[in-house]
Amino acid sequence: MTPSLAVDKPNPLAGIAATTGSRHPPSGRWLPALILLAPSLIMLAAFTYWPVLRVIGESLLVGRFAGQGTIGFDNYRRLFVDPHFGRAAWNNLVYAAGTIGPSLGLALAFALALRETNRLNSCLRTLVVMPLMIPLVAAAALFSFILLPGDGLLDFYLHRFGLGMVNWLGDPDLALGSVIAITVWKNTGYYMLFFLAGLAGVPQDVVDAARIDGAGAFRRLRSIILPLLGPTFGFVVPIALVNALTQIDHVVTMTQGGPSDATNLLLYYIYQQAAQNYDFGLASAGTVISVGALLALSLASFRALERGIHYEG
């Protein structure tokens, strides 16, 4: 019998393990990364994480001015029984519904109409986007003169048609609608830019093929363009929700929440409690509720839109 020779087969993983070293890199390798990230981490901690923790803590601090300083939920109880907070929350819902839908609808319509690049469309795009260049405070001051009762520009032309004087900002039934109209005028051009960018990614050959097959303009919009604009909607809708909660410069300039709380929005209510009434506990509780509601609405809208979003491969 001839003795068998045992040959050790090389392990292919041995070379990889030898070249890559251990699974965890030495701790010294993290030091340059931490040094480079330190400025960003410090800024995030100072201006994001610490303010969030402080607002949450202030909302739970009860009896601060009475010298007690106990922890509890009394600020939230006072917030929910305050009729001014309920009115501000309702106004904000109406304001969001009245600004987001019309702004996005007009922006999409303008983007579809001005999609082709030519000299006329370039001029029209500039006119639509021009309100974006005007600060909201300046736009509010301008519209204060336009909506001035009797002597304003709008009443001047309405008088030409035989209509009487209208107090657009002093009538509780018209004030919030006037603020909504200004916001739609201001935001439409901003959202149009995103839709123009999204339409640039819609394959023109697919649209042309649907036109050849006999699909009308509405059918092409519903079955091709809108599904392919899903990522754009998923980006624009959360931005519109944030704007609906945070844009109050025109309210401060034009109405200060009046008349009779008709234009009082959540952020302006929080400002009143913190800067005018010095009730930081109530203002912090309102901030926590507002941010929580905004986060929930943003996540819900994004998940609802994500189901129909089509991403190009």
Side-chain angles (χ1 to χ4, degrees), residues 58-197:
E58 289 279 354
S59 69
L60 298 174
L61 187 60
V62 181
R64 176 181 180 183
F65 293 104
Q68 300 174 1
T70 58
I71 301 298
F73 295 94
D74 189 62
N75 290 324
Y76 292 93
R77 183 191 63 79
R78 292 193 299 122
L79 184 71
F80 286 116
V81 299
D82 186 1
H84 299 287
F85 174 76
R87 182 64 185 274
W90 173 252
N91 288 341
N92 226 138
L93 287 175
V94 176
Y95 178 78
T99 56
I100 294 176
S103 296
L104 295 181
L106 286 173
L108 180 59
F110 281 128
L112 290 170
L114 305 177
R115 180 182 180 182
E116 300 295 332
T117 302
N118 53 54
R119 185 172 298 178
L120 177 60
N121 284 353
S122 298
C123 296
L124 294 176
R125 288 179 190 176
T126 304
L127 292 176
V128 176
V129 177
M130 189 175 294
L132 176 62
M133 309 301 173
I134 304 174
L136 191 54
V137 174
L142 174 64
F143 274 92
S144 296
F145 289 103
I146 294 176
L147 302 177
L148 191 67
D151 298 327
L153 188 63
L154 184 57
D155 275 3
F156 173 78
Y157 285 104
L158 290 177
H159 182 69
R160 293 289 186 92
F161 293 96
L163 300 177
M165 182 188 70
V166 180
N167 192 357
W168 298 98
L169 298 178
D171 189 342
D173 296 328
L174 299 175
L176 185 59
S178 302
V179 173
I180 289 174
I182 296 170
T183 307
V184 171
W185 172 81
K186 184 75 170 60
N187 291 341
T188 297
Y190 176 60
Y191 300 142
M192 185 193 71
L193 296 177
F194 295 108
F195 285 121
L196 284 173

Side-chain angles (χ1 to χ4, degrees), residues 82-92 172 175-176 251 255-265 268-269 272-273:
D82 186 1
H84 299 287
F85 174 76
R87 182 64 185 274
W90 173 252
N91 288 341
N92 226 138
L176 185 59
V251 174
T255 63
Q256 291 82 43
S260 302
D261 277 347
T263 59
N264 194 9
L265 304 180
Y268 188 72
Y269 171 84
Q272 286 179 316
Q273 300 305 320

